[in-house]
């Protein structure tokens, strides 16, 4: 057993699809479920799960790709920092090709900037330690799964007495945006497939208000195809029974209370702040800012730089796609002007962007 | 980005582990993990940090429930 292949078993996936069909039989109004995690988006496209669902069950993708929901202004600041002498930008690979207002990190690299792709923020700390004459700025983008790791890198840098490690932080937290979207009558969300590894950190309890007060069924669901199908079956069962509870499908990893140690590390370094989401706008307390005590590691505060006025591509429908309002196929740029080789919007760049998933598997 | 795969712990060295998947080995920090891990355990590794230990009994139970749903649907 390796805890992946067993959850990709075709027979099991088909069996669960039949079960969903039975549970939804007789429904006249379709049920709409949203996933808010890019890894779910990818799994749903990669395994063609939509085609296995009955017509009464509709899956839509929400703002689950952290690179995609980060507005251009952030990338513009990263580009401006990359142009400073003696500065190395360290980042997860996804960010390198994301177009900002007028440039991207890839273009800056071609012009001579030092852009390093790392697997872990700790690799960026090690880089800073090896290059004391340069400053290393790590691009801290991601949800609650990634934020504790980035917080951990700041603690590690402090422990090693590094004064040349910085984080440009744009971390986001998902439960409040889920509440915002659930209140949108146009979307009519009947349930959420709650993210797997975000929930490993924050715990399934984080969705209780959504389920109990907003009456939206929530199922914390794993990333493998059988997990997704079982999560959908659990949502259908709740919706048909008129229930709205938080359930955990991904019990092998997620606990109601989450991971208290990761939460503590996150809270040590970060504090909630208002932040802008591409396509949605500013959502109060849905972002994470570096606390004042750690301001010397905060690239935004510690490294002053002039940033261009951000602008978004006029034809790109990323924003509406991130809100689940339209599908990539509704965008006039999709697969014509905007392709993975030459992306216009972030949703086409990131490997877990809805447009990238639709381009790779959905056509 | 929140991808994290179950990796088997093959070595523990204080605050770090070495974990393996499909013959590929990677070091991971235990800094943000709140559970004890032993060699042979599976952990979810994300961006160089172990974020959760995989509960093998729960995994078996989930598989059992999935197969149960399958056989019910099959008979129905």
């Amino acid at each position: 057993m390796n805890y992946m292949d067993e959850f990709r078993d075709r027979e099991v996936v088909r069996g669960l699809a039949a079960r969903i069909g039975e549970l939804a039989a007789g429904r006249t109004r379709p049920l709409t479920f949203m996933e808010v995690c890019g890894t779910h988006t990818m799994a749903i496209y990669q395994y063609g799960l939509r085609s296995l669902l009955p017509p009464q069950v509709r899956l839509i993708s929400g703002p689950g790709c952290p690179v995609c929901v980060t507005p251009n202004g952030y990338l513009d600041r990263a580009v401006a920092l990359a142009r400073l002498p003696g500065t190395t930008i360290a980042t997860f690979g996804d960010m390198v090709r994301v177009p900002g207002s007028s440039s991207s990190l890839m273009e800056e690299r071609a012009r001579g900037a030092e852009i390093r792709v790392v697997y872990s923020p700790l690799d960026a700390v090690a880089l800073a330690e090896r290059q004391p004459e340069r400053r290393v700025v790590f691009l801290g983008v991601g949800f609650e799964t990634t934020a504790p790791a980035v917080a951990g890198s700041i603690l590690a840098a402090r422990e090693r007495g590094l004064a040349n490690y910085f984080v440009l932080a744009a971390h986001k937290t998902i439960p409040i945006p889920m509440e915002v979207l659930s209140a949108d009558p146009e979307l009519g969300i009947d349930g959420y497939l709650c993210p797997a590894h975000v929930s490993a950190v924050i715990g399934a309890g984080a969705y209780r208000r959504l389920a109990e007060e907003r009456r939206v069924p929530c199922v914390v669901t794993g990333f493998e195809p059988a997990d997704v199908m079982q999560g959908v079956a659990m949502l259908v069962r709740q919706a048909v029974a008129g229930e709205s509870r938080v359930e955990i499908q991904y019990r092998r990893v997620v606990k109601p209370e989450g991971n208290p140690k990761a939460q503590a590390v996150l809270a040590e370094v970060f504090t909630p702040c208002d932040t802008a989401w591409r396509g949605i706008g500013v959502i109060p307390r849905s972002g994470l800012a570096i606390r004042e005590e750690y301001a010397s590691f905060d690239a935004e505060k510690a490294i002053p730089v002039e940033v261009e006025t951000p602008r978004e591509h006029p034809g790109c429908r990323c924003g509406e796609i991130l809100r689940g309002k339209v599908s990539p196929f509704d965008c006039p740029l999709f697969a014509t002007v905007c392709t993975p080789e030459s992306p216009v919007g972030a949703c086409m760049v990131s490997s877990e962007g809805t447009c990238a998933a639709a381009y790779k598997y959905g056509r | 980005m929140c991808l994290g795969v179950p990796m088997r712990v093959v070595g523990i060295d204080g605050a770090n582990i070495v974990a393996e998947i499909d013959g590929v080995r990677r070091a991971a920090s235990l800094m943000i993990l709140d559970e004890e891990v032993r060699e042979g355990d599976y952990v979810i590794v994300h961006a160089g940090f172990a974020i959760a230990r995989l509960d093998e009994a729960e995994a078996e139970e989930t598989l059992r429930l999935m197969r149960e749903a399958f056989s019910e649907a099959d008979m129905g």
Side-chain angles (χ1 to χ4, degrees), chain A residues 130-311:
Chain A
R130 282 200 306 273
Q131 304 185 331
E133 73 288 358
R134 294 182 69 83
R135 55 184 161 206
V136 174
V137 180
F138 181 75
L139 303 185
V141 169
F143 293 118
E144 295 96 323
T145 321
T146 314
V150 175
S153 78
I154 289 179
L155 296 180
R158 190 182 59 169
E159 202 179 293
R160 295 180 206 179
L162 297 178
N164 64 332
Y165 178 70
F166 304 89
V167 170
L168 184 60
H171 290 292
K172 289 181 162 43
T173 52
I174 198 75
I176 294 175
M178 289 168 78
E179 288 181 22
V180 170
L181 292 175
S182 74
D184 184 337
E186 202 187 308
L187 284 174
I189 295 169
D190 296 296
Y192 275 115
L193 284 172
C194 300
H197 292 150
V198 160
S199 307
V201 171
I202 65 176
Y207 311 105
R208 202 171 294 141
R209 196 168 63 183
L210 195 54
E212 289 171 7
E213 289 176 26
R214 306 247 176 191
R215 311 284 305 154
V216 184
C218 289
V219 177
V220 176
T221 302
F223 288 140
E224 301 302 338
D227 289 322
V228 174
M229 294 303 271
Q230 194 180 34
V232 171
M234 290 163 83
L235 281 174
V236 173
R237 201 202 54 72
Q238 277 201 47
V240 168
E243 295 171 7
S244 58
R245 295 185 290 122
V246 181
E247 290 184 284
I248 308 176
Q249 181 279 330
Y250 194 39
R251 301 181 71 94
R252 61 190 183 277
V253 170
V254 174
K255 295 198 265 324
E257 70 280 13
N259 175 344
K261 197 167 171 188
Q263 291 165 20
V265 169
L266 190 153
E268 167 65 25
V269 173
F270 292 111
T271 181
C273 66
D274 301 351
T275 193
W277 295 61
R278 190 198 301 272
I280 303 176
V282 173
I283 303 178
R285 296 178 65 78
S286 67
L288 294 170
I290 296 174
R291 283 185 186 278
E292 209 42 53
E293 299 94 286
Y294 295 93
S296 61
F297 297 98
D298 186 342
E300 198 168 339
K301 288 187 181 147
I303 314 173
V305 70
E306 193 144 328
V307 182
E308 66 186 297
T309 309
R311 54 190 173 82

Side-chain angles (χ1 to χ4, degrees), chain B residues 39 58-59 66:
Chain B
E39 277 186 33
E58 288 285 4
M66 284 173 170

